[in-house]
Amino acid sequence: MNTLLAIRDLHVRYPLKTGLSALAGNRPSFVDVVHGVSLDINRGETVAIVGESGSGKTTLAMAVCGLAPVFRGEVRFDGRQLERERNNRLNPDRKRVALMFQDPVGSLSPRMTVRKILAEPFRIHRTGSSSPEQEARRLLSLVGLSEDFGDRYPHQLSGGQARRVGVARALALEPDLLIADEPTAGLDVSIQGEVLNLMSRLQQQMGLGIMIITHNLNVVRHIADRMAIMYLGRFVEQGDAQKIFSRPRHPYTEALLSANPSTDPDAGSGRIELSGEVPSLLRRPAGCEFNTRCPRAGDRCRVSFPGLAGDFGDQAYHCHFPLD
Amino acid sequence: MSATAGTVYRIFAGLKKDPLGMAGFVLVSLIVFLAVFAAWLAPYDPLEVDVYNRLASPSFAHWLGTDQLGRDILSRVLYGGQVALRVSLLAISISMAVGLVLGMLAGFGPRWLDRVLVVAFDTVRSFPTIMFALAVVALTGPSLNTVIGVIIVTSIPVYARVVRTQTLALRERDFILAERAMGASTFRILRHHVLPNIIAPLFILASMDVPAVVGMEAGLSFLGLGVSPPTPSWGSILNDGYSYLRNSPWPIIAGGLPLIAVTLGFTFFGESLRDIFDPRLRRKDQ
């Protein structure tokens, strides 16, 4: 397999207090938003990261792009360690990873026309076979927008149009890896489909690896080859998407999958209700983080964190009492 | 270019709906016009002494009367407007430019730099302006440049603070993060993405700052810390008038009215601009 991105034991830690106040009080002075994540993404493959709000999905994406402080662990791209500093135009790997933000309009500079926005990547990296404006025109047609859109400002675009511009900008420098944070959020179902089809089409054309972050399981079922389920900054289960859908091993995965409304009216709800709230990241439960809400939790779960079971390349999970 | 034309169009469309703002705009244009063309409009040389005609009341010969040396007050007011506008233009543009740079550095740079700059801004602002001006004049002697210098130093923190706040608000926005993710340099982000989004409120602030600066110049000149004597300034006209208030009220009236006009004009105009560019800030009672 041709591994494009390899994340090993990644921790992202944000300081909560600085200076002398860090010594006082009993509140922790940092918070680990991503807590030991390992993941491989291969060329041409789509990997979905699924989880509730606040589970650290977006922070993981930011960390891969160098926008979040990596505390421990490493991110390797094509076998080379990615530079940790943020603005490094000279690092050729920087432009091979592209990030699409959650808010389609908010991630476009509000006082720039679409044409200027699309020319930005070429101006920053001083590349492109023709002038940045011509490249911008090419990108517009690539994502199926007519040339008139070049003169519009972001607030004059609909959500779907802005999303297309976002896709175009992300693909401008022909990256090898596209990280898409909730690419379908806030879009009509029909537009969602269009955007996803656009991404898959471009993936086939350009051989992209895609990391897609979502809590929409239908999207995952539609496009993901593999998936990872995130809870409190950890992957509780990861592996082949179809296998996980048909046979989840971790109780959290099962509950999450059961919460997805089925299109089959005869299927019945079968929904597993989890008790309790998601624990605060400031007070990470001892042992397995999920033990406070897990229907299967036993004494062991409150003491030790379960090691990785199963096969990392196929279907792997962290659970003392996995489902059959 | 078309964006500039659009902005101008938007301002006029907004002013049409806001009579007070329009009045402010007309007043501002009038003041600027009178000051710029003072040399052609003034009926007399503002320095020409006429001792037989001291402290005259308004007449057809002297529309606003004459002062204690028989100088034509209307001419002095017109030339004084030149001084006032030159001071505000110079002082505001320089303090705005420096404040812009320092504010963006504080808002976008590392945290220690932010702290150092904020302490510096607060230190400067904590001096009473008049005391500061007195100290500087004691060292350098009164002159128009001293006035401009004092105003610049005391205004930089005002602009820098506004810019810093706006930059801080922008720095975690997605479109800035998107630029960083693409590898854009800090300079590029500040120049092309932060600056265009903070510049409009800054001009509104500058417009509302003109009365304060004009008032400061007049105040310092009134105290004898500004322009040196024969040169006309609204402040020195007021000071002359103050000494001869029992003989004639006209110098005080003539020196005070333009100050009021500048204050009203620029404030109305500035408030109207603010409403046009940011309707969310509109006063609740409207």
Side-chain angles (χ1 to χ4, degrees):
Chain A
M1 274 290 203
N2 193 348
T3 305
L4 196 57
L5 181 78
I7 303 173
R8 287 292 172 273
D9 194 34
L10 185 74
H11 287 65
V12 175
R13 173 172 289 188
Y14 282 103
L16 290 177
K17 296 192 277 195
T18 50
L20 283 177
S21 61
L23 302 172
N26 51 7
R27 279 184 59 220
S29 57
F30 57 83
V31 56
D32 285 336
V33 182
V34 175
H35 197 71
V37 159
S38 297
L39 179 73
D40 282 342
I41 297 180
N42 300 317
R43 220 172 274 281
E45 180 186 50
T46 303
V47 176
I49 313 289
V50 191
E52 287 167 284
S53 308
S55 58
K57 307 181 299 264
T58 299
T59 308
L60 174 63
M62 299 279 217
V64 173
C65 295
L67 296 175
V70 173
F71 170 64
R72 182 140 53 89
E74 59 174 23
V75 179
R76 281 182 175 274
F77 192 81
D78 246 0
R80 287 187 303 279
Q81 176 116 25
L82 271 185
E83 296 286 333
R84 285 190 184 175
E85 66 258 45
R86 295 149 176 167
N87 303 323
N88 197 346
R89 184 161 55 82
L90 301 173
N91 182 357
D93 288 335
R94 182 54 60 232
K95 63 180 184 186
R96 296 176 59 196
V97 183
L99 177 62
M100 270 168 67
F101 283 81
Q102 193 162 353
D103 178 354
V105 179
S107 58
L108 305 177
S109 203
R111 308 237 168 203
M112 278 193 168
T113 60
V114 167
R115 189 185 323 264
K116 279 194 172 167
I117 289 170
L118 291 180
E120 273 287 289
F122 301 102
R123 291 193 197 283
I124 291 168
H125 291 278
R126 306 211 177 97
T127 56
S129 47
S130 50
S131 76
E133 283 73 21
Q134 280 170 319
E135 295 281 0
R137 209 168 302 147
R138 177 182 65 81
L139 286 173
L140 276 177
S141 68
L142 181 74
V143 294
L145 289 175
S146 73
E147 226 175 273
D148 330 334
F149 281 96
D151 296 319
R152 296 212 193 170
Y153 286 89
H155 66 267
Q156 296 169 314
L157 301 173
S158 72
Q161 288 159 354
R163 183 50 86 197
R164 277 169 186 268
V165 174
V167 174
R169 175 172 67 176
L171 298 179
L173 298 171
E174 300 184 348
D176 295 312
L177 177 68
L178 175 65
I179 301 179
D181 189 358
E182 300 277 7
T184 57
L187 301 179
D188 287 345
V189 178
S190 60
I191 313 284
Q192 284 184 10
E194 274 180 39
V195 169
L196 292 176
N197 288 337
L198 176 68
M199 283 171 59
S200 327
R201 198 186 84 218
L202 297 171
Q203 179 178 35
Q204 279 158 19
Q205 280 173 15
M206 305 166 75
L208 285 174
I210 295 182
M211 173 169 151
I212 184 169
I213 292 169
T214 183
H215 46 232
N216 185 337
L217 289 169
N218 295 323
V219 169
V220 179
R221 208 189 291 267
H222 185 64
I223 71 167
D225 301 310
R226 287 192 303 126
M227 69 191 286
I229 291 97
M230 205 163 183
Y231 185 77
L232 280 187
R234 275 198 216 264
F235 285 165
V236 294
E237 182 161 8
Q238 67 187 98
D240 185 274
Q242 293 319 316
K243 285 190 181 156
I244 292 180
F245 270 113
S246 56
R247 185 169 168 245
R249 303 299 301 272
H250 195 284
Y252 179 67
T253 311
E254 186 193 31
L256 197 70
L257 296 184
S258 78
N260 194 38
S262 165
T263 45
D264 179 2
D266 301 325
S269 105
R271 178 167 175 177
I272 300 165
E273 295 276 353
L274 290 176
S275 60
E277 296 283 313
V278 182
S280 161
L281 284 170
L282 296 175
R283 267 184 269 277
R284 215 172 251 290
C288 172
E289 277 96 351
F290 189 52
N291 77 56
T292 55
R293 302 169 75 195
C294 183
R296 301 166 72 88
D299 291 339
R300 253 173 97 193
C301 304
R302 284 181 260 282
V303 183
S304 71
F305 180 75
L308 196 71
D311 174 5
F312 185 69
D314 185 39
Q315 182 174 3
Y317 46 90
H318 288 283
C319 189
H320 288 306
F321 305 106
L323 301 151
D324 306 315
Chain B
M1 270 294 101
S2 68
T4 320
T7 310
V8 172
Y9 176 78
R10 206 167 137 206
I11 291 173
F12 278 99
L15 284 177
K16 257 189 207 165
K17 283 182 255 165
D18 181 3
L20 213 53
M22 193 50 135
F25 176 70
V26 170
L27 209 50
V28 166
S29 316
L30 188 70
I31 292 164
V32 171
F33 174 79
L34 291 179
V36 167
F37 295 102
W40 286 273
L41 296 169
Y44 297 88
D45 180 341
L47 306 181
E48 189 189 300
V49 177
D50 179 4
V51 281
Y52 297 106
N53 241 331
R54 298 171 62 221
L55 298 167
S57 293
S59 63
F60 282 112
H62 299 283
W63 288 11
L64 289 174
T66 59
D67 67 5
Q68 79 279 9
L69 296 174
R71 298 177 292 197
D72 179 53
I73 294 179
L74 176 62
S75 305
R76 289 182 67 75
V77 166
L78 290 176
Y79 275 93
Q82 264 183 356
V83 171
L85 287 191
R86 197 166 71 225
V87 170
S88 9
L89 195 70
L90 260 174
I92 291 180
S93 55
I94 294 177
S95 44
M96 190 163 113
V98 178
L100 192 64
V101 172
L102 291 182
M104 289 205 296
L105 279 179
F108 212 82
R111 193 170 285 186
W112 63 266
L113 185 62
D114 182 35
R115 293 208 176 144
V116 168
L117 286 171
V118 166
V119 168
F121 300 156
D122 290 347
T123 310
V124 171
R125 287 305 291 170
S126 65
F127 284 116
T129 310
I130 298 291
M131 291 296 151
F132 181 57
L134 275 171
V136 175
V137 167
L139 287 173
T140 65
S143 79
L144 202 54
N145 287 337
T146 310
V147 172
I148 293 175
V150 166
I151 294 174
I152 288 173
V153 170
T154 51
S155 313
I156 285 173
V158 179
Y159 290 98
R161 278 176 177 173
V162 172
V163 170
R164 172 182 173 269
T165 315
Q166 301 249 359
T167 308
L168 278 177
L170 284 176
R171 93 179 258 174
E172 295 301 319
R173 290 271 298 276
D174 278 355
F175 68 93
I176 300 289
L177 291 178
E179 287 294 316
R180 277 170 50 186
M182 282 193 286
S185 66
T186 305
F187 176 77
R188 183 178 185 86
I189 294 176
L190 289 176
R191 164 78 186 79
H192 293 279
H193 300 277
V194 175
L195 186 63
N197 289 295
I198 60 177
I199 197 81
L202 215 54
F203 275 105
I204 296 163
L205 186 71
S207 160
M208 311 238 277
D209 202 24
V210 172
V213 171
V214 169
M216 182 114 78
E217 183 270 317
L220 292 174
S221 295
F222 180 86
L223 294 173
L225 308 177
V227 296
S228 21
T231 316
S233 148
W234 294 342
S236 56
I237 294 171
L238 281 174
N239 191 16
D240 293 346
Y242 172 72
S243 311
Y244 295 89
L245 187 55
R246 300 208 178 166
N247 307 76
S248 164
W250 295 106
I252 289 278
I253 295 172
L257 277 179
L259 282 174
I260 296 172
V262 163
T263 307
L264 291 180
F266 278 96
T267 307
F268 289 158
F269 183 53
E271 283 187 347
S272 187
L273 277 186
R274 186 190 58 194
D275 291 349
I276 291 166
F277 285 108
D278 199 347
R280 285 168 303 169
L281 296 176
R282 204 178 300 248
R283 290 196 301 275
K284 288 225 172 68
D285 53 12
Q286 277 187 336

